[in-house]
Amino acid sequence: MRKSFIEVQFPVSKISKESYKERKANYSQTLTGLGKWWGRKPLILVRATLLGLLMPASDDPEKDRRIFLKILTMDDEGMLLRKNRNLSLKELYQYATLKQRTKYFLPESTEEEPLLRPETDTEKKEELQKEVFLNLGYDDRLKYCLRPEQIEGPLPQAWNEINAYLGTRAHSLQELIQELGERQFGHRPRVGDAFCGGGSIPFEAARLGCDVYASDLNPVATLLTWAAIHLVGGGPEVQEEIRKAQQEVFEAVDRQITEWGIEHNEKGWRADAYLYCVEAKSPATGYWVPLAPSWIISEKYRVCAKLEPDHQNKRYRIRIITGADEKTFKAAEKGTIQDGDMVCPETGNRYPVSTIRGDRYENGKTIYGLRQWGNDDLVPRPGDVFQERLYCIRYVETCTDEKGRIQTLRHYVEPDENDLRREEKVLCLLKERFHQWQKKGYIPSKRIERGYNTEQPIRERGWTYWHHLFNPRQLLYNGAFSFYNNYENKLIKVALLLGIGKLSNWNSKLCRWLQDPANEKGADTFSNQALNTLFNYSVRSFIKLDSVWIYKLSQTFDSIKPFNEYIEPKDARLIQNFSEFWITDPPYADAINYHELADFFLAWYEKHLPELFPGWYAESKAALAVKGSGQDFRESMVECYSNFTRNMPDNGAQVVMFTHQDSSVWADLALILWASGLQVTAAWTIQTETESAGLKKGNYVQGTVIMVLRKQKSQETAFLSDIQADVEFEVREQLKSMMELDDKEDPNFSDTDYQLAAYAAALRVLTSYKRIEDIDIQYELMKERKPGEKSEIEKIIDSAVAVACDYLVPAGFDPNHWRMLSNDERFYIKGLEIQSHGEYRNGVYQELARGFGLRQYNQFLKTTKANETRLMTATEFGARGLHDEGFGKTLLRNVLFAIHETRKEESPQAGRNWLYNEMPDYWNQRERIILLLKFIVRTCASMEHWGDDIKAARLLAGYIENDHV
Ligand SMILES: C[S@@+](CC[C@H](N)C(=O)[O-])C[C@H]1O[C@@H](n2cnc3c(N)ncnc32)[C@H](O)[C@@H]1O
């Protein structure tokens, strides 16, 4: 069988950059607007994967790559086509080469004031734009470009070139995919994804013209996937109909709320945000204390709340102060909740919140103290430990200024009697409708199933039904929106139902109030992947729901013509649909409890799904969710992947996407896939996470591994000892071909890519056999390993990485010398080289350490701060860890100390003496010492923090060079 492009090469750097750009588009990503799902995959990654599977590899990898990039409009021509913004004059000047500057700019131009030559006419300006744009690196170019999905595709002349090379007659991506599919399988290719989640994979496959099968255990996911293909892919007409319906419902709800009179005050102002806090009795005083970690409300207008004791009623008045003086504002920063304790404002006494809740420990178990709410509880009961209280309303006053222009003014107020009456009315209105609306599914009636994340609201607030996560106003509004969703058209009904999901996400009691001056608003429930309860929360008023409800469906270039598409909620173990390609992104090591979190949405959808999609179930089926990493998980993964393999032809292929972690994760997954009858043929890593997501998770570089697999058809068996040599050979071949292919100007592969390619090469050898005599797959799969204990497969991967390390020789470093270094030394040396290129991201050092097989690498670092991570200099190391096992005993460590000594004593002799006395065979090591010192001088001279250490290293190197017996 002929190899496909993705089995030979993949432009990882460019695809990472495109993926990053797509992710950074936030809410203007194509599918995210439909609703929340966790771990969505970038569409460009799916597009490239699918094309990579269908495009055959030829004997000319260089040309293959050029054509591949051309199809994706990631070549020069394609990028010019995607360019949608001109460089400013300043940018042109900044990025122009000297030649271009001389040609187009006046000699007196400066960075601040670039002046074009008078003869630079429109045509020349365009030429300049083009030339300078093409000078830019890939990342910089992308700032001026649309995403590939936002344009139609390559131009006709590009298609001519593509067709001439591939022997096709296509004029669009869909035609190309169809032709390539027909050539391989005799028909349009079918793509299956049985872990479809938010639908990236099936959506992109359908958009490229494939037949699609999509399923997910969770019906919320299948609903999102269905909506992706039918609503986003529905084209302008469908989108216009939806927009009209959204507007109609919005206006109807607006009329209703206005008629109820629950949002406007006596002055005609309309509320746009409500702030609530929890109250609990102080054990010290018996007063009801309002709880919040901070009482700041608006940084921009210096609004804060101030507690004033009301001795008569044993409570506090919460005054709202606008334009607060420094002292008051500062005092408001400290709330009555500090580090998880309630702080009594009178006495300053602190009480752990768990004590306030009445949690206790009995017979080795924690008994939680709060009363569990019942279905009919819409607000706390009078005897409850925690009460809830409205403490601030932000009103909007609309008026006209003296010139007749409309102005809006914001007022932050403490609720008065009338406001409180309106609150009561909201509750009354809700109570009148509550049971009927629950029956009709306008508001949830679903119980919260206990689980890792769902336990939190139960334990911390006593909430036991999903509607407890919403306050009466939120329930009333959402119910009203549902009430008006009485359209016959299924597309509209689904779009509006998803709108309810969006309202819930943006308006629940788990929505924090953000005081950000530029963006003062309520956050969304799932701003993190948990169900964290809050002591103070925000409620959006109707007018702040417009952008949530009237969500704009992205315009995808072509409306999708779903040829054959089948979407259903189903356990992946049970699917029976045949596909040529299975592209899946399993819930692997991502630690997201999809089945728990998605219940938040399912509670709003459950009564409507069976009606809209007869045959679909409306439960989360938590017990069947693939999760964790233990034995159960591995077993269920084997069942899923064996099933996909059964449902795939012999010439089909699978791609498994997963988050890159250490070699043990790879080893486990390889074992699972091997046991499922698959063979690894290639693996690539794409950086898919944005900075912020990375930082939240602790500054890791998040890579998505794309593992390509074929059916395992070999009958051969081997012994571990036999395959060792094969692994080494395969790793070398892999690295050699990657190096040959790499683009010198815009490197495709980084060191970590080479290391990961080594993992893949090892697995390719291993899984090419039916059996390895010394590996009992069943036993390895079932075995629970202790931390640090390595499986046989992991050991093979590690040895492959060791081979790769021999290849990662820093520029200008003698390869023989490199081979003599320990892994600790290599990490430090390679780290210096990377740092000299301005690399300060923690994740990169982490990857490097993994590659060199180091479990610990913090001892090398001066700081692990995000984007400031760097290695210690010789002086910063000082005598730290000298002589310790590992790095402490190495030649490099002693050389660093010798630099430190030279600097401290202001004499190279001090350094030389240290080495002479400490190194058992100084004279034999002398040559290597000089090489290390020279490398340090060369590499670190441009790094400011190395300062005088460089001078010392230079002096020492010279001194030792002249040292003779
Ligand atoms: C990483 S997510 C997929 C994300 C998706 N590729 C996207 O781009 O949005 C993994 C999915 O597996 C689903 N899942 C978990 N257990 C499952 C099972 N037994 N059968 C089918 N799907 C399952 C989860 O509901 C989740 O949506």
Side-chain angles (χ1 to χ4, degrees):
M1 194 175 6
R2 207 160 149 192
K3 279 190 178 177
S4 61
F5 178 86
I6 201 172
E7 289 173 298
V8 177
Q9 56 170 319
F10 205 49
V12 291
S13 164
K14 290 190 168 67
I15 293 170
S16 295
K17 288 169 182 168
E18 296 281 357
S19 299
Y20 184 75
K21 180 177 168 77
E22 184 179 329
R23 280 273 169 267
K24 289 257 282 205
N26 277 332
Y27 295 113
S28 43
Q29 288 175 72
T30 303
L31 299 184
T32 46
L34 288 172
K36 182 79 197 169
W37 201 256
W38 304 266
R40 286 174 179 277
K41 288 289 162 279
L43 297 170
I44 183 64
L45 174 59
V46 181
R47 182 176 287 202
T49 302
L50 197 52
L51 180 65
L53 281 171
L54 276 164
M55 193 176 123
S58 77
D59 300 336
D60 186 348
E62 193 59 51
K63 185 84 197 272
D64 284 355
R65 186 173 60 170
R66 270 203 289 128
I67 294 295
F68 185 81
L69 293 175
K70 195 171 274 305
I71 301 171
L72 292 175
T73 58
M74 283 161 58
D75 62 336
D76 284 356
E77 216 174 63
M79 293 190 91
L80 281 170
L81 200 61
R82 287 198 274 144
K83 183 167 174 278
N84 70 334
R85 187 163 77 76
N86 273 338
L87 285 88
S88 69
L89 203 55
K90 224 166 130 182
E91 288 166 333
L92 282 173
Y93 188 76
Q94 186 188 342
Y95 295 123
T97 57
L98 196 58
K99 211 164 136 204
Q100 287 160 342
R101 280 190 189 182
T102 328
K103 183 168 164 201
Y104 296 103
F105 289 92
L106 288 173
E108 59 271 27
S109 288
T110 64
E111 295 276 346
E112 281 317 306
E113 207 183 347
L115 300 166
L116 281 178
R117 288 183 183 281
E119 65 273 21
T120 310
D121 57 17
T122 317
E123 215 171 279
K124 280 225 178 92
K125 275 188 199 150
E126 269 173 32
E127 202 177 284
L128 172 67
Q129 278 287 343
K130 186 174 157 181
E131 280 181 25
V132 175
F133 173 76
L134 292 178
N135 277 354
L136 300 177
Y138 203 84
D139 315 57
D140 285 327
R141 281 187 190 184
L142 282 181
K143 292 182 199 146
Y144 304 91
C145 286
L146 293 169
R147 306 194 294 270
E149 60 173 328
Q150 291 172 306
I151 64 160
E152 200 177 349
L155 285 177
Q157 67 264 32
W159 279 118
N160 291 343
E161 212 181 315
I162 295 165
N163 286 331
Y165 188 65
L166 296 177
T168 46
R169 286 178 306 177
H171 290 96
S172 68
L173 287 168
Q174 292 76 4
E175 283 174 12
L176 180 73
I177 297 288
Q178 164 117 11
E179 272 194 65
L180 293 176
E182 277 171 2
R183 200 181 285 174
Q184 273 191 49
F185 310 110
H187 54 80
R188 194 184 307 129
R190 281 174 298 211
V191 175
D193 176 8
F195 295 114
C196 67
S200 293
I201 296 167
F203 171 80
E204 192 57 36
R207 181 155 69 166
L208 291 180
C210 301
D211 286 347
V212 165
Y213 171 78
S215 61
D216 193 289
L217 183 66
N218 201 297
V220 176
T222 46
L223 180 68
L224 287 168
T225 301
W226 189 93
I229 293 181
H230 294 267
L231 308 186
V232 177
E237 259 172 51
V238 168
Q239 304 198 342
E240 180 50 27
E241 269 185 86
I242 291 172
R243 202 203 51 73
K244 246 177 72 198
Q246 287 171 335
Q247 189 63 36
E248 281 165 8
V249 173
F250 193 72
E251 284 166 14
V253 177
D254 189 14
R255 279 194 299 276
Q256 179 65 85
I257 287 176
T258 310
E259 191 190 303
W260 281 332
I262 50 175
E263 225 176 60
H264 295 81
N265 73 3
E266 290 55 43
K267 297 181 183 135
W269 302 347
R270 190 164 189 178
D272 82 344
Y274 298 87
L275 301 186
Y276 292 80
C277 67
V278 167
E279 278 196 321
K281 257 189 196 169
S282 160
T285 60
Y287 284 26
W288 283 102
V289 179
L291 301 179
S294 154
W295 292 109
I296 304 285
I297 295 170
S298 167
E299 288 190 14
K300 189 167 174 188
Y301 301 105
R302 295 184 73 80
V303 183
C304 61
K306 190 173 172 204
L307 304 187
E308 275 181 15
D310 167 1
H311 298 297
Q312 205 177 354
N313 295 307
K314 294 192 136 204
R315 68 196 295 263
Y316 289 83
R317 179 169 175 186
I318 310 178
R319 280 204 186 276
I320 302 299
I321 301 166
T322 300
D325 59 54
E326 190 56 34
K327 196 169 149 221
T328 314
F329 203 66
K330 195 94 199 115
E333 275 173 13
K334 273 209 168 145
T336 41
I337 289 287
Q338 289 172 27
D339 305 322
D341 290 344
M342 161 176 166
V343 182
C344 173
E346 294 313 294
T347 60
N349 288 1
R350 298 174 82 108
Y351 306 94
V353 170
S354 54
T355 311
I356 302 292
R357 291 198 302 247
D359 297 352
R360 55 192 199 282
Y361 196 69
E362 269 175 24
N363 302 329
K365 256 179 51 193
T366 306
I367 315 284
Y368 295 106
L370 294 180
R371 176 184 76 84
Q372 304 287 284
W373 288 30
N375 181 45
D376 286 356
D377 286 317
L378 299 172
V379 287
R381 291 190 199 163
D384 280 345
V385 170
F386 289 141
Q387 298 295 312
E388 284 173 31
R389 173 171 173 186
L390 172 66
Y391 68 95
C392 177
I393 307 175
R394 191 174 73 181
Y395 274 113
V396 180
E397 178 189 2
T398 312
C399 51
T400 41
D401 66 8
E402 60 282 5
K403 288 190 181 141
R405 285 176 304 206
I406 294 195
Q407 269 200 327
T408 51
L409 300 173
R410 279 181 171 172
H411 303 279
Y412 299 79
V413 304
E414 177 184 346
D416 63 15
E417 274 178 17
N418 292 324
D419 291 316
L420 296 178
R421 237 185 336 96
R422 280 187 280 276
E423 282 291 286
E424 275 170 30
K425 183 157 186 198
V426 167
L427 185 58
C428 271
L429 288 165
L430 177 65
K431 279 186 177 162
E432 283 164 22
R433 289 159 180 77
F434 182 67
H435 289 290
Q436 209 206 2
W437 278 11
Q438 269 200 328
K439 218 156 104 200
K440 288 192 176 285
Y442 296 165
I443 50 178
S445 51
K446 190 178 170 61
R447 262 187 167 280
I448 303 177
E449 298 293 329
R450 280 177 188 274
Y452 181 83
N453 293 115
T454 47
E455 183 68 32
Q456 213 181 334
I458 301 176
R459 193 175 63 222
E460 295 176 355
R461 292 291 179 274
W463 298 337
T464 56
Y465 283 81
W466 285 102
H467 68 269
H468 294 152
L469 272 63
F470 301 85
N471 97 339
R473 192 177 287 275
Q474 292 168 327
L475 288 175
L476 186 68
Y477 288 13
N478 276 14
F481 276 101
S482 284
F483 177 83
Y484 289 106
N485 182 3
N486 46 20
Y487 292 80
E488 289 296 317
N489 181 328
K490 180 171 170 179
L491 294 165
I492 296 181
K493 253 193 137 39
V494 170
L496 299 190
L497 188 61
L498 287 173
I500 300 288
K502 294 188 66 154
L503 292 177
S504 322
N505 184 25
W506 284 96
N507 211 15
S508 79
K509 291 201 279 191
L510 307 190
C511 292
R512 271 174 310 126
W513 177 246
L514 303 175
Q515 310 130 9
D516 183 348
N519 206 3
E520 190 186 289
K521 63 171 190 187
D524 61 331
T525 303
F526 288 110
S527 44
N528 65 9
Q529 298 158 357
L531 292 164
N532 295 332
T533 59
L534 302 171
F535 285 100
N536 63 332
Y537 62 86
S538 65
V539 170
R540 285 176 179 238
S541 79
F542 176 78
I543 46 176
K544 281 285 167 209
L545 296 176
D546 57 348
S547 58
V548 182
W549 176 253
I550 306 186
Y551 61 96
K552 207 170 154 304
L553 288 166
S554 315
Q555 292 283 343
T556 165
F557 204 85
D558 293 306
S559 66
I560 293 180
K561 299 173 211 76
F563 299 103
N564 287 306
E565 145 268 340
Y566 197 75
I567 301 167
E568 59 177 346
K570 202 166 201 149
D571 180 2
R573 282 164 280 220
L574 304 179
I575 57 105
Q576 289 177 327
N577 286 63
F578 204 75
S579 294
E580 278 80 36
F581 298 126
W582 284 97
I583 305 182
T584 49
D585 164 25
Y588 190 73
D590 62 3
I592 298 167
N593 291 303
Y594 294 95
H595 53 288
E596 293 184 28
L597 302 182
D599 266 8
F600 176 90
F601 296 109
L602 192 55
W604 293 93
Y605 304 154
E606 62 169 353
K607 295 235 164 70
H608 309 283
L609 284 181
E611 211 179 282
L612 286 163
F613 299 94
W616 282 24
Y617 57 78
E619 304 142 48
S620 50
K621 308 234 178 211
L624 297 175
V626 175
K627 56 180 183 291
S629 57
Q631 181 187 331
D632 275 359
F633 165 77
R634 290 196 286 262
E635 257 177 75
S636 32
M637 285 282 282
V638 172
E639 284 179 52
C640 294
Y641 279 89
S642 306
N643 193 21
F644 307 157
T645 310
R646 272 194 299 278
N647 282 293
M648 173 179 109
D650 284 355
N651 61 347
Q654 292 203 29
V655 168
V656 177
M657 300 183 176
F658 68 101
T659 312
H660 167 63
Q661 306 210 331
D662 58 23
S663 57
S664 67
V665 172
W666 276 74
D668 253 12
L669 190 60
L671 206 58
I672 287 167
L673 296 168
W674 192 24
S676 309
L678 291 163
Q679 171 188 355
V680 177
T681 59
W684 311 102
T685 305
I686 302 294
Q687 309 299 339
T688 46
E689 299 300 312
T690 58
E691 286 148 324
S692 61
L695 293 184
K696 254 188 252 153
K697 288 188 184 163
N699 189 26
Y700 296 129
V701 171
Q702 282 281 340
T704 295
V705 177
I706 313 288
M707 212 192 259
V708 189
L709 303 130
R710 296 272 184 185
K711 262 193 184 175
Q712 163 40 270
K713 286 189 295 201
S714 147
Q715 291 303 324
E716 270 186 79
T717 60
F719 285 94
L720 268 179
S721 51
D722 300 337
I723 67 166
Q724 195 59 42
D726 291 354
V727 167
E728 285 183 19
F729 177 78
E730 190 73 17
V731 172
R732 288 211 173 85
E733 286 300 297
Q734 172 76 37
L735 299 185
K736 225 166 70 198
S737 75
M738 283 168 76
M739 281 172 177
E740 274 165 19
L741 259 176
D742 213 357
D743 190 334
K744 299 287 169 294
E745 275 161 28
D746 179 17
N748 186 29
F749 304 116
S750 66
D751 287 339
T752 45
D753 290 313
Y754 286 109
Q755 286 165 357
L756 295 173
Y759 284 21
L763 296 180
R764 199 159 51 229
V765 172
L766 197 75
T767 58
S768 67
Y769 293 98
K770 182 162 180 64
R771 260 172 68 76
I772 305 285
E773 293 294 352
D774 347 34
I775 299 180
D776 179 342
I777 299 195
Q778 285 312 317
Y779 170 78
E780 294 274 351
L781 272 173
M782 297 314 143
K783 194 173 166 196
E784 290 297 342
R785 257 179 284 283
K786 295 189 206 88
E789 191 190 346
K790 295 205 169 190
S791 67
E792 287 308 324
I793 298 192
E794 234 181 308
K795 286 184 204 157
I796 294 181
I797 293 179
D798 286 350
S799 72
V801 172
V803 177
C805 284
D806 287 345
Y807 263 75
L808 301 174
V809 187
F813 209 93
D814 173 46
N816 291 325
H817 182 193
W818 179 247
R819 277 185 203 114
M820 291 164 81
L821 299 178
S822 72
N823 278 349
D824 288 306
E825 290 175 298
R826 286 174 177 182
F827 170 77
Y828 187 81
I829 292 283
K830 195 73 198 173
L832 285 184
E833 190 194 35
I834 289 179
Q835 206 172 296
S836 70
H837 301 149
E839 188 58 84
Y840 289 94
R841 286 176 299 164
N842 187 315
V844 172
Y845 295 90
Q846 187 189 24
E847 290 283 337
L848 195 68
R850 267 185 200 150
F852 287 117
L854 308 191
R855 295 218 170 258
Q856 281 292 331
Y857 64 101
N858 276 356
Q859 77 266 27
F860 295 95
L861 302 179
K862 170 71 182 158
T863 162
T864 51
K865 263 202 213 146
N867 298 322
E868 289 177 27
T869 304
R870 69 166 175 83
L871 298 165
M872 277 194 277
T873 62
T875 299
E876 286 162 354
F877 261 122
R880 211 178 295 189
L882 201 61
H883 301 313
D884 282 1
E885 268 321 304
F887 189 54
K889 284 197 166 32
T890 61
L891 179 65
L892 173 61
R893 181 66 192 90
N894 281 286
V895 167
L896 288 170
F897 190 69
I899 298 175
H900 168 259
E901 286 295 280
T902 304
R903 179 174 171 176
K904 197 175 91 192
E905 303 297 328
E906 295 181 2
S907 149
Q909 197 178 358
R912 181 265 180 199
N913 287 350
W914 170 267
L915 291 167
Y916 183 80
N917 294 328
E918 292 301 314
M919 301 284 51
D921 51 352
Y922 170 80
W923 293 113
N924 277 336
Q925 304 270 27
R926 193 174 139 266
E927 202 59 32
R928 292 180 59 210
I929 293 172
I930 296 167
L931 282 172
L932 284 173
L933 285 167
K934 286 193 168 168
F935 174 81
I936 291 173
V937 171
R938 223 176 30 246
T939 313
C940 306
S942 58
M943 293 190 245
E944 229 171 81
H945 57 268
W946 270 81
D948 286 345
D949 278 6
I950 290 297
K951 254 194 255 159
R954 199 176 281 126
L955 271 179
L956 184 59
Y959 191 88
I960 296 180
E961 260 182 316
N962 293 318
D963 201 7
H964 297 291
V965 195

